[in-house]
Amino acid sequence: MTRPTFENELKEIHLDILKMGAMAEEAIDKAILALKTKDVELAQRIIDNDDKIDELTEEIEKKCAIVIATQQPLASDLRLIITAMRIATDIERIADHAEDISQITLKLAKEDYVKPLIDIPKMAEITRSMLKDALDSYVNSDIELAKSVVKRDDLVDTMYQNLIDELEQIMKENSAAVSQCVQFLLVIKYLERIADHSTNIAEWVVYKITGMHKHEWEGREEETR
């Protein structure tokens, strides 16, 4: 495989990842919209579309394997390929969690919600913005943007714990609401996991550029303070 061919293969993989990322962002938005509006048709479409992202992940993995087998890439090139494979896996899992939320929408669609959905959509918006910025940092090789995504994970963790406390209080006061609250606990857990996977993507971007894992670059930042 010639170098131009190698560059073209990497470009194809890069574009596939961006396509996957856009699909995952859309899935998050629509999953939360379906949950808010109890739109079972929209929820079902998200569930049905998940296979497309799974197929794209497999395609990226195959392309990466072919590049490694035929090109024998240098260390810096290998880093790009490893990063692409890891990011594709995280995006696939993000899409899986959007599907999980959609499954819950199907379960709760005929019920009156125990509380207005205000904080869950706020949490979802932060997680979606983390994914968007992580992907933007990948496109632009923007280390600072990637690191800002990593820092935002703490905000999502705080929101997650606050919502757990609120739902637990509702369950204590209203035993009839326990089943529904359990489903909402799952929703916020899925959102927290989406934030974690977005953070993973951002950390892989830093690795792609610097060759350093999180504990290495955080350690260097501590030393310079």
Side-chain angles (χ1 to χ4, degrees):
M1 184 184 292
T2 64
R3 186 72 194 184
T5 303
F6 176 61
E7 296 290 350
N8 287 335
E9 289 289 342
L10 284 181
K11 185 176 181 180
E12 278 190 29
I13 292 167
H14 177 76
L15 291 174
D16 284 344
I17 286 175
L18 296 184
K19 181 179 179 181
M20 273 189 75
M23 291 168 70
E25 281 188 61
E26 183 180 16
I28 296 168
D29 283 341
K30 289 185 175 179
I32 296 302
L33 177 61
L35 182 68
K36 286 175 63 179
T37 60
K38 303 179 184 179
D39 188 335
V40 294
E41 291 184 2
L42 180 57
Q44 189 60 55
R45 285 202 300 274
I46 296 164
I47 294 166
D48 294 339
N49 285 340
D50 188 61
D51 287 343
K52 295 178 182 178
I53 294 181
D54 293 341
E55 290 168 3
L56 195 49
T57 304
E58 292 178 6
E59 186 65 26
I60 289 171
E61 289 173 350
K62 288 177 183 176
K63 288 179 180 178
C64 288
I66 290 171
V67 170
I68 292 172
T70 59
Q71 181 66 16
Q72 297 180 334
L74 300 173
S76 58
D77 293 329
L78 187 58
R79 240 184 10 242
L80 298 178
I81 298 167
I82 291 171
T83 298
M85 293 174 68
R86 297 293 191 178
I87 288 176
T89 298
D90 279 306
I91 294 173
E92 179 188 20
R93 289 174 180 168
I94 286 170
D96 287 343
H97 291 318
E99 179 191 9
D100 292 332
I101 293 170
S102 298
Q103 294 282 5
I104 289 173
T105 296
L106 299 184
K107 293 178 182 178
L108 299 181
K110 295 182 180 179
E111 299 183 21
D112 292 327
Y113 290 160
V114 294
K115 67 183 292 291
L117 293 192
I118 298 172
D119 294 324
I120 288 177
K122 287 180 181 178
M123 184 178 177
E125 177 54 31
I126 294 172
T127 60
R128 190 201 60 77
S129 71
M130 287 174 67
L131 173 59
K132 180 182 183 301
D133 286 349
L135 292 169
D136 284 348
S137 73
Y138 173 72
V139 172
N140 300 311
S141 294
D142 188 333
I143 292 179
E144 293 309 313
L145 183 58
K147 289 180 179 179
S148 77
V149 173
V150 175
K151 291 177 182 177
R152 253 176 285 168
D153 193 44
D154 289 340
L155 173 60
V156 173
D157 289 342
T158 299
M159 294 185 74
Y160 176 53
Q161 189 56 57
N162 289 341
L163 281 166
I164 287 175
D165 294 343
E166 182 180 355
L167 289 166
E168 285 180 346
Q169 187 61 37
I170 292 173
M171 287 189 284
K172 287 177 183 178
E173 296 172 357
N174 182 6
S175 60
V178 169
S179 177
Q180 187 181 120
C181 285
V182 168
Q183 295 302 313
F184 284 134
L185 284 169
L186 288 173
V187 169
I188 62 174
K189 179 60 180 176
Y190 296 141
L191 290 174
E192 189 264 345
R193 292 300 297 143
I194 289 172
D196 286 345
H197 287 300
S198 298
T199 300
N200 289 347
I201 292 169
E203 290 174 6
W204 281 114
V205 170
V206 178
Y207 171 75
K208 180 192 77 167
I209 299 165
T210 66
M212 289 190 292
H213 293 287
K214 182 184 177 185
H215 67 278
E216 295 172 309
W217 56 260
E218 281 192 334
R220 288 197 180 185
E221 287 181 352
E222 286 291 334
E223 290 174 1
T224 58
R225 288 174 185 170

